[in-house]
Each structure stands twice: as structure tokens, then as C-alpha cells.
Amino acid sequence: MVAACTLAVLGTLVPLGDDAASSAATDRGPAARAGYAAATDDAACTGPVRSLDPAKGSVDGAAVARIKAHGKLVVGVDQNSYLWGFRDPATGDFAGFDIDIVKAIAKDILGDENAVQYLTVPTAGRIDAIKSHKVDMVVRTMTVNCERAADVAFSTAYFTAGQQILTADPAITGFDDSLNGKRVCTATGSTGDDELKKGAHGATVVPVDNQLDCLVLLQLREADAVFTDNALGAGQAAQDPNVHLAGHPVTSEPYGVAMNLADTDLVRRVNKVLAAYRTDGRWTASYNHWLQPHLPGMKPPAPLYQ
Amino acid sequence: MTHTPTGHQVPDVRSGAGIPAPRGTAPQPTSVTPAGRSAWAEQSARLRAAATTEPGRLRIIGAALALLVIAFGAVTAWQVDNRARAADNVVEHSAPLSATAAEIHRSLADADATVTGGFLVGGQPPQSVSEQYQRDIDNATKLITQAAATSGGSAQARAQIAALNKQLPQYVSLVATAQADNRVGLPVGGAYLRYANTQMRKEGGLLDTADKLYTIENARLASDYEHAKALPYASWALGVVALGVLVWAQRRHYRRTNRVFNRGMLAATAASAVVLLWLAAGHTVARMELKNSSAHGARSVQVLNNARILVLQARGDENLTLVARGSGDKYIKSYDQGMTTLAGADPKGVGGELAQALRLADNDAGRAPVQDAIADVRTWRARHTAERKSDDDGDYTTAVAEVIGGKDSSGKAVPASATTGSSFDAVDDSLGKAIDHEQQEFNDAANSGRDALTLLPLGAAVLAVLGALAALFGIGRRLSEYR
């Protein structure tokens, strides 16, 4: 923990929210939250996690050679986050903002954006899959934070999400007192759940297992608003033109590509790909295709290197 | 024969009973009094006075004998008729109602398992899935209406039927939304499906309500069994008393007259004995057959029905684990629990409901389908373990292929016969056969039980009337000797 967190040099305290995918999970127990507390209490790790600079080391070492020898990039993804990583029910293929990034990395390393073996990893199994080299990387709306940086290496952030209110009710203006007397749905154990416990602005919390269940309750009028990661909120808004994200995000959660701590050349390689991806228009094209209509006004986050 | 007639008007029970007077003497026109209770009431005072004389005593004995034999016959007819009615209820009402409730339960669980399977196929669900789902819903709707029409006055049953009627359209509408969303590629379709499944399975939901209805109908079945099997103590007691008094009267007759036989009383004794024997034999046979139908039929059918529901739920869980895509832990747990209840904790062993069904099956024809089901469940569990490993390893495509068939992630086709789906179909099929077999055994035994009682009430009534007439005739013969 200490070794990893020395990576963090400076920065203000960023609320360490959990990532989108685990908001969707059902199995986050007290252990996960205890870890969260330990990370935030650690004086050595208080800022954004910084990644390896591609200009300061090899981008074509042992890890990249291993992938080339295998001929396929093995990537842990989600198949349950609409717009990010999901199976298009019509084709059965993976698609989404995360998947576009996977394809860009595969194209750079192997010259073929389809040279990818997708493995669907459950939220709880992500870090183990990386540590055991079952996957080369995980691209799965995974929030970069100090606690996780002790176990896995993160790329620079490729998106910044945050907890936000989603609603169809024009009287609700965001995560504020307009929620008074309303029913707010959130996934049990998610960051949204934690925030609501700190202060719910007079709202009644409706807990569910999976964030997408909230959209069902919203449509059946068993809830008035959903409090979730805006990345997933955009996914819900995309499935129902009557709902929209309201107000501003309450937290700031950078998403990064997670890799094995030993694969430093791969981390630099991915950062190199992301640097180009952000600036050559591909990031914007993917953003405009998947997210912009429901999550407008976003820019690629600036990379933070060590 | 030493007494002479007293000369006062003697009420002649013979003419009241319409028996030709012996020795051709004409009946007294003023003495027309019906035998039995009313005669007893009207004449009691005079009879008490007459009890000091032998003809008076004879009249009292005659009336008592006729009354006892008639009472014996009437009580036997009444008690056996009650039991025959209860046996008839078992065959005609409570057993079919119990079967209807079980079939409602099965149709609903099958609809849920079927529709979840359809979600594993991308885009439009296959026609076979849509048809099967529709059949299940139609069947459930039809049977709920049928149950409503036949459930009689049971308020409990009516409450469950009302709940089913209310919830089924809601479930169908949720599934329709899920399918419409899935069709246009919205993942919320999967969430709607899981929501519909929750509504189906929650406490007070469709399956729970159908199960309660089944329990209520089974309780009614058990109660009808109890009524049909209840021992007719009153009939036995009256029969024994009637025979005892007849024997006493004949002994008295022999002592006073030195005649061994009084034909009338002898005929009455024979009639009473026949009724008593018929009662004992008929009801014992009925009891045995009903007990048989209850133990081997109804109980087996209940255990098998439970097993079938568990199978359907396990299939739904297996499908939903994949539909939930990485967040299906609760379905994994539910599958494991269901399988343990169904077939025991050991995936290679025999336990749970299936082991019980095997114990209850009383012949090879009954055991064979249960043994098939046990073998298929074992295969299913082994395949399921492999499928879970594929999914846990991140190979969703292969996992789906192992559940419903199709191509795995390496493009190799998984034949339909090697899927968990084919194991599920085989188990469901075998259990269906086992249920049909046990239902047949039940019907046969219950019918024999009912048939054993069919003629008894009428027979007891006719024999009792004949017996009473014979007793009166016998006493009348003796009485005429005093004229």
C-alpha cells in the first residue's frame, strides 16, 4: 500500500468513489468498504494516482512481446454496462465506449482491432484476474484509486465520471433538497448508497441489487429518481428518452485501464495509445457516438504522469 | 298356549306392517297403527300397562326389535353414505382440484423458465420459446378460471385464486416489456425480466400463491380421505345390539315354547348379520384402497410435483445467472439450494425429493421414470458445473452454448444433446411420466375404494326394512296364538 501510494505525489483529496461496474454488482460487502476507508485514511495516498510516462521507458518489452506471441489481447470486460461494455442483444457482439478503447489498443499492439479475446470478469474477480495474468488488462469502467493501485497498475485516466441524479421528474433538479419527500433508487453498497447515507436531502432510499433495476422501478413509478454513476446514468438515459441526468456530479471518479504491476512496458504502451486516442479525434468520435447525447460537455481528462 | 285372549281391543302390529294375517283371520280395521316410533309414543302408556301380560310383553319386544333393526339399517346407510360421498369427493373433486393447483404451479414455473431461456438467444426469441411460453400462460389462465369455478365455498382457496388472477396479467405485462426492450437491444429488458422473475417468486408472488392453493387443495383432499376412512362405530354398535337382542328374543321364545326356530326372527337375524358383515367387509376394503391411493398415489404425486417445480426453478436460475451477466450471484445460490432440495447435496448421489419419490414408488413401473430423472439430474449437475466454469473463466459465449446449444467461443458447435437444456428437458419429461403413472395408480385405487361402498347404503336400508318386517312377522305369529 505504502509503496504504491508513493506514486501519488501531490493533489487535492479526490473523493474516492467506487467505479461504475461495481455499482452494478450485488456482492460488495463490508470488506470492500473497509478497504475504501483504509485507502482514504492513508496519509501517503491522498491524491490522484499517477501513471507511467511512455516517454520515460520501454513501450515494447516482455509483456508486449508476450501478447504478440499469443496473437490475441486478452481483455477483461463488462457485458452489462450499456454504452460502455455490453453485448448488443441483436448481434451478440461486445460494443461500447470501453470496447472502442480495447480495439484501439489491440490495433496498436497487434495491428488488428479484432485480435481480442474478451473475457467477462465479475466485479469481484477483476483484480485477481489481473494479478494471475488470466487477462492482460481490464477495461471495465474501473475507477482508479490508491487502494487498487496497490494491487494493479493503472493507465492514465480516459474518462472522469461521478455520482449524479437521474430522473424523469422536472421538479427534481439534482442531488439537492428538491429530492425532499421523493423516492431515490440506488444499488445496495454502491458509492451512491454511501453518499445517500451521509445525507439524503429528505429522500426515501429504495435499494436494489443492480443499478439497472432502478430504471425498471423508475418506469414502473416505484421510484422518482436514480442516484448512480453518471456513466451508467447515461446508459439508462439512452434507454428511455423520458429520463435525464439532472444537476452536477457529486463525486469525481477517473476511469483507467488496469494491468499487472509487473507489466510496466504494457502500461507505458497503453498510455501512449491513450495519448494519441485523446488528441487525434478518436476519443471525441467514440464519445459523440456513445455518450454525448446523454452526458454532454465532457472532454478527455488530461493525463497525469509520474 | 295356556293364556286366552283378554277380549279388549288389541292393536295389531301385523296389519300395520301390512303382513297377511296368519291363519286367514282378517285384520281389525280399528287397529291400524304404524309400527315404529309413533306407535310407541301413542301406545306407551297402554303398553306399560300391558307389560304385565305375555301378549303385551311380546308386543313390546316386537316393536323394540323392529326399531333396532331399522335403526341399525338407517344409521349404517347414513354413515356409509357419508363415507361414500367423501370417497366420491376424493375422486371427483378434491383430487382433481389438487391436480389443477399443481398444474397451475407447474405452468407458471415453466413459463418463467422458458422465457428466461429465450433471453439467452440474441434478439428475437425462437418461435418454439414464444409458443411454449404462450401455451404455459394460456394453460395457467384456463386452469385458474377452472379452479375458480370448482373451488366451492372455500374462502381460503378463493383468496389465492383472486391473487393469481390479479398477478398473472402483471407478470405477463412485465415479460412483454422485457421482450420488447430486448428486441430493440436495450439491456433494461434483462432487468425487466429479472424484475418479472422476482414478482413470480417473491413471497405472496405467483408461485407462492399457486403453492398455497395447492396446499389448501391438498388439505381438503386429506380431509376427504379422513372422512371416507372414519370408522362407522355407531353402525357397528347398533348392529351388535340388534343381533344381541334378536338372539335374546329367540332364546326367550325357545324357553317359553320349546320351539327352536321362529322363522321371522331368524330371517331378521340373518338380514342384520348380512348388513353387519357387508359393512365390515365393504368399509375395510374401501379403507384399504383409499389408504393405498393416499400413500402411493396422492403422496407420490405431491412429492413429484414438488420435484418438478424445483427442476423448473433450477432451470430458471441457470438461465438468469447468464441473463444477469456477471451479477447473477443470487441465482447461482438459488440454483444450488434448489438442486440440493431436489436431489441432495452430493451432485453424484441420490437425495432430496427425488430420493423420497423413489421410496414412495411402489413398483418398477413407478420407479423407472424416477430413476431416469435421477440419472438425468446427475448429468445436468455435471454439465452445469462445466458451464459455470466456462462463465467464471470469462467465456460467456461457451457458457451460453453449454446451456442452450449453439457455437462456443472457438466456433465449435455444442450439440443440443450435450447441453444442460437437454438434461433439463429429460428430467422434466421423466417427472411428467412419473406423475402420470402415480396419478393413474391413485385413480385406480381411489375408484376401487369408492366402488366398495357404492351399493352398501341402499343394501343396508333394504335389508334392514326386510329384517324389521321379518321380526314383526315372527312376533305376530307368536301373538296370534293368544287369540
Side-chain angles (χ1 to χ4, degrees), chain B residues 54 73 90 135 140 149 202 239 245 250 253 258 261 264 286 405 436 450 456 463 473 478:
Chain B
E54 179 60 13
V90 166
R135 254 202 312 279
K202 70 177 182 186
V245 173
Q250 282 167 94
H253 172 73
N258 257 337
F261 294 120
D436 287 348
R450 178 179 63 163
L456 186 46
L463 282 170
F473 173 78
R478 175 89 177 88

Side-chain angles (χ1 to χ4, degrees), chain A residues 80-104:
Chain A
N80 213 21
S81 304
Y82 195 45
L83 306 183
W84 291 85
F86 70 105
R87 273 178 189 275
D88 184 337
T91 62
D93 291 335
F94 284 98
F97 190 81
D98 277 343
I99 305 302
D100 285 350
I101 288 174
V102 171
K103 287 181 172 169

Side-chain angles (χ1 to χ4, degrees), chain A residues 79 89 120 210 213 219 222 239, chain B residues 122-123 188 192 194-195 394 396:
Chain A
Q79 53 174 345
T120 49
N210 185 311
D213 297 341
Q219 291 182 351
E222 289 174 29
Q239 298 181 59
Chain B
V188 75
Y192 262 101
R194 280 183 278 121
Y195 186 79
Y396 180 80

Side-chain angles (χ1 to χ4, degrees), chain A residues 278-291:
Chain A
R278 286 187 195 95
T279 52
D280 64 9
R282 281 180 290 165
W283 190 97
T284 310
S286 179
Y287 166 74
N288 285 343
H289 178 68
W290 296 112
L291 306 171

Side-chain angles (χ1 to χ4, degrees), chain A residues 53-132:
Chain A
D53 189 340
K56 294 181 186 167
S58 168
V59 291
D60 205 351
V64 174
R66 188 190 70 230
I67 291 163
K68 283 180 174 164
H70 183 63
K72 276 199 169 180
L73 185 63
V74 185
V75 190
V77 293
D78 192 6
Q79 53 174 345
N80 213 21
S81 304
Y82 195 45
L83 306 183
W84 291 85
F86 70 105
R87 273 178 189 275
D88 184 337
T91 62
D93 291 335
F94 284 98
F97 190 81
D98 277 343
I99 305 302
D100 285 350
I101 288 174
V102 171
K103 287 181 172 169
I105 296 168
K107 178 132 182 71
D108 183 74
I109 296 175
L110 295 163
D112 177 3
E113 67 169 27
N114 292 321
V116 182
Q117 185 183 346
Y118 292 102
L119 292 185
T120 49
V121 284
T123 307
R126 287 177 308 187
I127 289 182
D128 281 345
I130 294 166
K131 284 172 109 173
S132 66

Side-chain angles (χ1 to χ4, degrees), chain B residues 9-16 21 25-34 483:
Chain B
Q9 282 293 324
V10 178
D12 190 343
V13 285
R14 289 169 297 156
S15 53
T25 43
Q28 306 265 1
T30 51
S31 67
V32 177
T33 311
R483 299 229 163 85

